[in-house]
Amino acid sequence: MAPNTAPPALWPAPHASGAVDATVHVPGSKSVTNRALVLAALASEPGWLRRPLRSRDTLLMAGALRAMGVEIEETVSSSSSAAGGPDGTGEAWRVLPTGLRGPATVDVGNAGTVMRFLPPVAALADGPIRFDGDPRSYERPLHGVIDALRVLGARIDDDGRGALPLTVHGGGALDGGPVSIDASSSSQFVSALLLSGPRFNQGVEVRHTGATLPSMPHIRMTVDMLRAVGAQVDTPESGGEPNVWRVTPGALLGRDLTIEPDLSNAQPFLAAALVTGGKVVVPDWPQRTTQPGDRLREIFTEMGGFCELTDYGLVFTGSGAIHGIDVDLGDVGELTPGVAAVAALADSPSTLRGVAHLRLHETDRLAALTKEINELGGDVTETADGLHIRPRPLHGGTFHTYEDHRMATAGAILGLAVEGVLIENVATTAKTLPDFPELWTGMLGQ
């Protein structure tokens, strides 16, 4: 922190005086928005993104693509809010793939999708593209993408760090072909290569060699979105080899895509229904989706809630009781902070497994959750691949966020049941969930 920089303000997490009863319009999915931006930028014709998420991570992605020569025009209907309504009005982005070129400098912030998805895109540009970001971004693993791109024919200067900052010297094309990577630390390594694969001269064949592969739903999301724009993708699920994905070279279509609500960002609001024994409705919850957040229906039902998926959206109701859970979150690691917060308020212990990779996220989420919940009186211990949580009476205090949006929303969940929780730097939620404090107090009718 700079000497003259004031510490982030402390936000008093609202305490629930009774059962919540609210309808919450959750903004669009970050994961879908950023994948859609990349695919539209690589397409052979213009495309539309309707109801995109406007947050720090998505604006960084759009800004990065603009820096590389892609035109993105923004429009907002005067008849609706920027978040968009059920009729499809609201904000829309028109993406004109006008060619990728350097020199350019890309600010990735601390966005994993930007720092990992765009170096393969930059390899297709004419000219050098420099990538830089927040100090924490220097510590996040990027070697899987860097090493793979070199095998596929790209020239990258990273001074041997395997991390940011770095420069990709785009040559206007990339050979592509087969490559082996260890994506144990992030499934985004696989998605990054698949998204640009159709534009490589030989396509790409990605073989994962590691012992584990977290967040498989995010890879399935990448594959589904590639197929929706005309790409041919062979996967282990479609009869291919285990841990091998093949993308055939070819042109990508411009699409008119409406972005789904971000189901992972619905977590704190559903948790509020569980914690207070109330009811929360999330409109436009998709009947079918590859978003990992859809697993919340199963997890929170097991922890004591009831859910009904209707044509309007998801209706989630708390029973007034919160039960502990023993669950493998390896495919849905981003849900861990919110599940941990609910588990700390449960009537029995919980064990969260399969999430060792969270130590490499925006912060070391396992260490951060342990420290912050315990400082409020909790009893959380780290395991080799997760957390063990024994509920204890909690008290107020400062809940630090480590510039991690999901830590901030976890603290808000605790604050519903525990008076006097002060969240440091709640503004970090703008990374994926803009206007979270307003949405939260609106849900509570405060």
Side-chain angles (χ1 to χ4, degrees):
M1 182 178 295
N4 297 322
T5 301
L10 297 178
W11 182 65
H15 183 69
S17 56
V20 302
D21 186 356
T23 295
V24 180
H25 289 268
V26 176
S29 164
K30 176 202 75 173
S31 298
V32 174
T33 299
N34 275 357
R35 283 165 173 78
L37 280 169
V38 171
L39 292 172
L42 295 173
S44 59
E45 56 192 355
W48 284 93
L49 276 65
R50 302 190 188 275
R51 285 193 252 169
L53 174 66
R54 173 180 280 276
S55 72
R56 187 185 186 214
D57 278 17
T58 59
L59 293 176
L60 284 167
M61 180 67 84
L65 291 169
R66 286 188 175 111
M68 288 192 275
V70 178
E71 292 185 25
I72 302 174
E73 301 172 351
E74 302 181 26
T75 62
V76 181
S77 166
S78 60
S79 62
S80 178
S81 70
D87 59 355
T89 58
E91 184 162 1
W93 294 350
R94 186 168 187 247
V95 182
L96 303 167
T98 49
L100 300 164
R101 58 187 177 273
T105 297
V106 165
D107 176 12
V108 310
N110 192 19
T113 51
V114 182
M115 71 179 72
R116 292 167 183 149
F117 291 177
L118 289 189
V121 176
L124 298 168
D126 284 311
I129 310 293
R130 177 173 169 78
F131 290 82
D132 208 339
D134 296 354
R136 170 63 181 171
S137 71
Y138 292 10
E139 302 171 18
R140 299 185 68 182
L142 199 55
H143 55 86
V145 174
I146 294 170
D147 294 346
L149 285 174
R150 285 180 174 142
V151 170
L152 297 174
R155 185 161 68 90
I156 301 174
D157 292 336
D158 68 338
D159 292 331
R161 286 183 302 269
L164 292 170
L166 59 85
T167 298
V168 179
H169 295 274
L174 195 68
D175 290 340
V179 65
S180 296
I181 62 170
D182 181 351
S184 300
S185 58
S186 177
S187 68
Q188 290 176 354
F189 294 168
V190 175
S191 287
L193 299 170
L194 299 184
L195 286 167
S196 293
R199 289 285 306 274
F200 299 165
N201 294 339
Q202 302 173 43
V204 72
E205 176 187 285
V206 181
R207 183 179 301 271
H208 167 59
T209 59
T212 61
L213 184 57
S215 305
M216 273 296 296
H218 278 122
I219 296 179
R220 287 193 283 273
M221 176 188 292
T222 297
V223 170
D224 277 12
M225 293 183 69
L226 275 162
R227 287 172 173 163
V229 295
Q232 181 178 328
V233 188
D234 296 323
T235 71
E237 294 87 351
S238 61
E241 294 180 58
N243 290 325
V244 177
W245 293 262
R246 294 184 180 89
V247 180
T248 302
L252 298 178
L253 307 174
R255 285 289 310 275
D256 190 323
L257 178 67
T258 299
I259 306 296
E260 298 173 355
D262 193 313
L263 306 188
S264 294
N265 277 342
Q267 182 181 38
F269 305 102
L270 301 184
L274 192 55
V275 168
T276 68
K279 181 178 77 172
V280 167
V281 179
V282 179
D284 302 317
W285 193 288
Q287 297 284 333
R288 177 191 172 276
T289 181
T290 53
Q291 286 193 61
D294 194 46
R295 179 105 180 272
L296 285 167
R297 295 189 290 148
E298 171 196 333
I299 295 169
F300 278 173
T301 296
E302 187 174 343
M303 296 186 82
F306 305 94
C307 67
E308 180 186 5
L309 189 55
T310 70
D311 289 340
Y312 180 70
L314 181 70
V315 182
F316 186 79
T317 308
S319 63
I322 307 171
H323 308 311
I325 191 171
D326 187 328
V327 62
D328 188 325
L329 298 175
D331 279 352
V332 290
E334 64 202 55
L335 304 181
T336 302
V339 174
V342 173
L345 303 171
D347 57 16
S348 58
S350 295
T351 300
L352 313 185
R353 308 177 186 276
V355 287
H357 61 286
L358 294 190
R359 295 187 171 100
L360 300 170
H361 275 224
E362 279 81 346
T363 187
D364 178 341
R365 284 179 171 165
L366 300 185
L369 287 164
T370 300
K371 179 177 183 294
E372 297 309 314
I373 295 175
N374 287 353
E375 289 196 353
L376 299 183
D379 185 356
V380 182
T381 54
E382 283 192 61
T383 65
D385 72 337
L387 299 172
H388 187 63
I389 302 167
R390 302 170 191 84
R392 296 284 186 271
L394 302 180
H395 54 73
T398 299
F399 192 92
H400 299 92
T401 61
Y402 309 90
E403 299 185 2
D404 185 336
H405 54 128
R406 300 206 191 278
M407 287 295 296
T409 53
I413 292 168
L414 292 170
L416 292 171
V418 181
E419 291 194 58
V421 174
L422 302 172
I423 298 177
E424 172 229 24
N425 192 19
V426 74
T428 194
T429 52
K431 177 178 168 66
T432 64
L433 187 52
D435 304 322
F436 170 74
E438 292 80 5
L439 286 169
W440 195 245
T441 54
M443 172 193 69
L444 295 169
Q446 297 182 4

